[in-house]
Amino acid sequence: MVLQAQEGRLTGSVKAAARVLVATAVPAERDAVARAFTDVTTEVRLPGSPPLLRTAGGYDLLAAGVGPALAAAGTATALTAAALDGRPYTLVVSAGIAGGFQPEAPVGSLVVADEITVADLGAETADGFLPVTELGFGTVSHRPPNSLVRVTAQATGAHPGAVLTVSTVTGTAARAAELRARHPRALAEAMEGFGVAEAAAAHGVPVLELRAVSNPVGPRDRAAWRIGDALDALTEAFGKLAPALESWESA
């Protein structure tokens, strides 16, 4: 991969074998990622899925939808379309804003997942929550390659740790404390990472999750949200990500 970062934007080109799918929840996040690129060239329609933005340098940007189900469906559609076209993706990135557990992930910081875990897939029992794995089904975690997490953290300044996927955003201190008790390594929560990771795993493609923290996890306080700042941080992060991927892929 041959790329240079200039003033937080990506220029250059990716070797033909390297193709990256970036899946966000909503267009505002996709567009924040797109602002890191100088070479967004076209909009590509996918069957039964939102269109994606394509760069000349090998990145496809998809606003797949909110929540793990839409994220998985949209990501799987894009992965399948690329494979049928004979140009499969080499990496999938789940990206966007997130709630951060305090004080480890302050508002405005970046988090890169070394563990992508679905927090609420399982069963409530009299003795507490049981993850789906303890019921004998499926998985609850995906782990991005350690080397990929390391170079991403070094390049972007993101804190490595667990990122939780939830179907219901945390809105109380009690719920935040419960999640931290079950997942002491958790730095952030979002709604799509596990769905994206499930689709990537089904296609045998590595996955990464990179999040910019827009608000604390806990009581729902819109006055404390810094969505604009988080989107700016996301743009800056992707302006630095291509050199990290170059280092990772050439290792």
Side-chain angles (χ1 to χ4, degrees):
M1 185 185 296
V2 180
L3 277 168
Q4 293 180 332
Q6 297 180 350
E7 298 180 349
R9 299 174 68 83
L10 305 182
T11 61
S13 61
V14 181
K15 63 186 180 182
R19 296 192 69 218
V20 180
L21 174 64
V22 181
T24 70
V26 296
E29 294 167 319
R30 179 204 59 199
D31 294 346
V33 175
R35 286 193 291 273
F37 295 82
T38 60
D39 60 349
V40 176
T41 60
T42 188
E43 184 177 272
V44 178
R45 296 283 175 177
L46 297 174
S49 181
L52 56 80
L53 300 181
R54 175 159 292 166
T55 77
Y59 284 75
D60 285 354
L61 317 178
L62 175 68
V66 175
L70 277 176
T75 302
T77 297
L79 285 163
T80 300
L84 291 174
D85 192 39
R87 302 174 63 236
Y89 293 108
T90 55
L91 176 66
V92 177
V93 183
S94 176
I97 62 176
F101 288 97
Q102 305 302 302
E104 293 86 355
V107 173
S109 66
L110 295 167
V111 174
V112 57
D114 60 14
E115 172 190 323
I116 302 169
T117 293
V118 59
D120 49 11
L121 182 61
E124 292 288 351
T125 76
D127 297 319
F129 179 80
L130 287 179
V132 72
T133 48
E134 294 189 27
L135 302 175
F137 305 104
T139 186
V140 294
S141 290
H142 292 278
R143 293 186 178 274
N146 290 333
S147 58
L148 178 57
V149 172
R150 183 171 60 252
V151 299
T152 301
Q154 290 171 348
T156 65
H159 304 292
V163 176
L164 305 182
T165 298
V166 296
S167 294
T168 302
V169 173
T170 298
T172 66
R175 174 63 172 168
E178 177 187 347
L179 288 176
R180 286 304 296 270
R182 294 207 322 252
H183 305 280
R185 296 186 63 257
L187 293 183
E189 72 165 26
M191 301 182 74
E192 293 79 31
F194 185 77
V196 172
E198 286 277 84
H203 282 259
V205 180
V207 68
L208 179 72
E209 184 170 10
L210 182 62
R211 295 282 175 176
V213 177
S214 59
N215 58 277
V217 175
R220 189 172 175 83
D221 178 10
R222 292 181 65 91
W225 295 0
R226 297 292 182 268
I227 292 177
D229 292 343
L231 292 174
D232 288 343
L234 196 64
T235 302
E236 183 178 357
F238 272 86
K240 301 172 180 176
L241 185 60
L245 296 183
E246 178 183 2
S247 170
W248 178 65
E249 290 191 352
S250 63

